[in-house]
Amino acid sequence: RIDLQRQILAYVLDQLMLSNPREITAVRRELIEVPTQTRGTGRTQTRGGASSGDRFTINDALSARVPGAIDTLAFRITFVGYTEVLRTFLNNLATFDMPVVVRSVEVQRRTQTERPSRARGGDNTFDALFGGEQATVRGGQGTLETGSTQRPVIEDNESEYTVTLEYIEVTLPDGNSQ
């Protein structure tokens, strides 16, 4: 079971590397619960432990797991990049070389962008509101001159993405012909 986790994780990380993220900040795998037998009682209990370190437990509402029919392994990958990195990663996973399904995507801004300050004195022109430079037309020939180079409103939109994935495996009982 752990070897299967390793193989799937290698596949997922290969797909992520092909999308060229700036940084991979966390790789977490689902906590595998191991049945253990309590001495002297003959009872079996499940031991797994709490989510910690590189392990987590997927929310049952997100999981496709159905006992006796569908088994799953979940992973949570956190990386930093532009929107194109996320798009490429998700498209790479959609090729279905392995049955990996995206369960959730969380996005958090990585860096704060500068907000242009309003000009003092109540200037409500378009340029004053959005931080553009004053452009003037000089002469009768319509030559456009600007004070300096304009900057885009959003300069750096790099984000941190946390993607929860689930590997799905159908495990019907041996006697079932369907």
Side-chain angles (χ1 to χ4, degrees):
R1 192 92 177 127
I2 291 175
D3 188 50
L4 180 60
Q5 251 187 351
R6 181 195 58 78
Q7 291 174 10
I8 297 163
L9 193 55
Y11 168 76
V12 168
L13 289 177
D14 285 346
Q15 299 308 311
L16 179 58
M17 293 304 291
L18 288 173
S19 64
N20 199 23
R22 186 170 76 77
E23 177 182 355
I24 298 174
T25 57
V27 177
R28 299 177 80 193
R29 57 190 170 83
E30 184 178 27
L31 184 64
I32 295 179
E33 296 180 348
V34 180
T36 59
Q37 192 154 11
T38 308
R39 286 189 202 183
T41 64
R43 285 191 246 153
T44 303
Q45 65 183 31
T46 304
R47 185 186 74 202
S51 296
S52 64
D54 69 340
R55 295 175 289 168
F56 78 103
T57 303
I58 191 167
N59 185 343
D60 289 337
L62 290 177
S63 180
R65 187 174 292 135
V66 176
I70 299 174
D71 196 13
T72 66
L73 291 171
F75 303 91
R76 188 169 285 157
I77 312 293
T78 304
F79 60 94
V80 176
Y82 293 99
T83 306
E84 181 180 326
V85 173
L86 175 67
R87 186 180 311 115
T88 303
F89 177 51
L90 296 178
N91 286 335
N92 289 346
L93 290 176
T95 61
F96 284 105
D97 291 337
M98 293 186 96
V100 175
V101 179
V102 176
R103 289 298 173 199
S104 71
V105 177
E106 300 170 26
V107 181
Q108 184 174 1
R109 290 299 293 245
R110 181 66 175 201
T111 58
Q112 296 294 328
T113 57
E114 291 182 23
R115 291 183 170 221
S117 59
R118 288 190 168 210
R120 296 180 194 248
D123 189 2
N124 287 329
T125 65
F126 179 82
D127 291 333
L129 292 173
F130 293 100
E133 297 296 327
Q134 295 287 339
T136 56
V137 177
R138 302 227 185 242
Q141 299 164 355
T143 306
L144 184 64
E145 296 177 2
T146 59
S148 66
T149 308
Q150 290 186 349
R151 296 185 339 196
V153 175
I154 301 173
E155 290 182 345
D156 189 9
N157 60 354
E158 199 169 69
S159 299
E160 182 176 69
Y161 301 98
T162 301
V163 181
T164 302
L165 307 164
E166 195 171 36
Y167 171 80
I168 298 177
E169 183 177 36
V170 178
T171 59
L172 295 175
D174 292 333
N176 195 337
S177 62
Q178 295 180 350

